[in-house]
Amino acid sequence: MLTILFDGIAYGMLLFILAIGLSVTMGLMNFINLAHGAFAMLGGYVTVVVMRSHDVPFVAALGLAFVVPAVVGAVLERTLYRPMYGRPHLDQVLFTIGLVFMAVAATDYFMGAQQQIVQLPDWLRGRTELFDGALGMGHYRLFIIAVCALLTVALQLALTRTRFGSRLRASVDDARVAGGLGINVNQIFAITFAVGSGLAGIGGALGAEVLGLEPTFPLKFMVYFLIVVAVGGTSSIAAQFGAALLLGIADVAGKYYIPKLGAFVVYSLMIAILVWRPQGLFTRGAAR
């Protein structure tokens, strides 16, 4: 049970990093970006390519997995996404779903349909047993927990303790007033979108070993990203973090104890939570 709990925490924190960019665009920018998983896939493929073809160390590859999707996200935000901000949500959904299928087709054409393998360094391989084998901790999952915890703290501090976070909240509350006060709202949104895309890229790079990496990655895990956002609500980073941990533990435990039902446990939990608290489990005043 301790091992399942540990693996569930690692999986939940990975889901949080993968989904937080979608939460930011939906909760702060009021834009439904279902192509968010494509940026995660891009980060995973960047990691695989630079490690395999250019012998880049794994940690340095993680840095590139943030930078490349962030740059691509900034360019796409300026050219494709920005004109869609004022459109109805249905238009945004159809537009971003189209981008997902384009990303899947392009990846399949250039990289092939086979699943990619990430060669982890020796210090991330292996497993440590504690309490006479009652708790088995994989070194790579420990690394995932540490990286995701650092990113979570940094993101929370950036949104609540920095001038950029204050300007972002002001831009979200009233873009016209924020612009009148001298805040470059378009630049704020572009940076926010780029950071969210970069975080997705890191999540995709970290998750390539755990979740697998293939062209259908954005479609396969799109539902999980949406479940994290729906269950946690979009009120705060802490809400998303708690929801991701809960779902990660439930998913790992369900697949271990009831393997024939697969993800049924997670979907059942999501339905029960949303019936009870339609606006999210950690959103104040959401209970019926």
Side-chain angles (χ1 to χ4, degrees):
M1 291 181 63
L2 290 176
T3 301
I4 292 172
L5 179 63
F6 172 78
D7 288 345
I9 291 174
Y11 181 48
M13 297 186 79
L14 182 58
L15 283 179
F16 171 74
I17 295 301
L18 282 166
I20 190 60
L22 178 60
S23 173
V24 168
T25 56
M26 289 181 65
L28 295 180
M29 301 171 64
N30 195 30
F31 182 83
I32 303 176
N33 180 26
L34 296 186
H36 181 73
F39 295 101
M41 179 176 67
L42 176 60
Y45 273 97
V46 167
T47 302
V48 169
V49 170
V50 298
M51 289 183 66
R52 181 185 302 167
S53 302
H54 304 284
D55 296 325
V56 176
F58 180 68
V59 175
L62 289 181
L64 291 174
F66 175 86
V67 172
V68 174
V71 172
V72 173
V75 172
L76 292 181
E77 192 276 339
R78 180 65 181 86
T79 57
L80 297 179
Y81 282 92
R82 189 174 297 179
M84 299 295 298
Y85 285 163
R87 302 294 293 273
H89 285 165
L90 179 59
D91 292 353
Q92 297 173 0
V93 168
L94 294 175
F95 171 73
T96 53
I97 282 288
L99 291 181
V100 170
F101 283 105
M102 290 174 64
V104 169
T107 304
D108 181 71
Y109 179 79
F110 288 106
M111 301 299 299
Q114 69 277 10
Q115 185 163 318
Q116 303 295 320
I117 304 298
V118 177
Q119 297 296 330
L120 297 176
D122 293 338
W123 56 277
L124 287 178
R125 300 175 184 175
R127 191 176 185 87
T128 298
E129 303 287 341
L130 298 177
F131 308 116
D132 295 327
L135 173 59
M137 298 186 299
H139 296 167
Y140 186 59
R141 282 170 170 74
L142 277 173
F143 178 76
I144 288 176
I145 291 176
V147 172
C148 292
L150 289 174
L151 290 175
T152 302
V153 172
L155 187 60
Q156 179 69 15
L157 291 176
L159 290 177
T160 59
R161 301 292 181 86
T162 65
R163 178 176 295 181
F164 177 83
S166 300
R167 292 182 174 181
L168 175 60
R169 293 194 301 273
S171 301
V172 171
D173 290 339
D174 196 319
R176 291 182 63 185
V177 173
L181 294 173
I183 298 175
N184 191 333
V185 176
N186 288 334
Q187 184 183 61
I188 292 293
F189 281 174
I191 294 174
T192 302
F193 193 93
V195 171
S197 302
L199 288 174
I202 289 182
L206 290 173
E209 176 69 18
V210 178
L211 306 176
L213 182 64
E214 55 189 346
T216 59
F217 181 92
L219 295 173
K220 186 184 299 184
F221 294 99
M222 180 192 301
V223 175
Y224 281 85
F225 305 155
L226 293 173
I227 289 176
V228 171
V229 175
V231 171
T234 56
S235 59
S236 69
I237 299 299
Q240 297 294 315
F241 184 74
L245 286 183
L246 176 63
L247 293 170
I249 294 171
D251 191 40
V252 171
K255 289 179 179 177
Y256 179 81
Y257 289 112
I258 323 174
K260 292 184 179 180
L261 294 181
F264 180 80
V265 173
V266 171
Y267 297 136
S268 301
L269 180 63
M270 176 197 67
I271 293 171
I273 290 174
L274 294 181
V275 168
W276 174 42
R277 300 178 71 89
Q279 296 179 9
L281 182 61
F282 299 100
T283 302
R284 293 182 180 179
R288 283 182 169 176

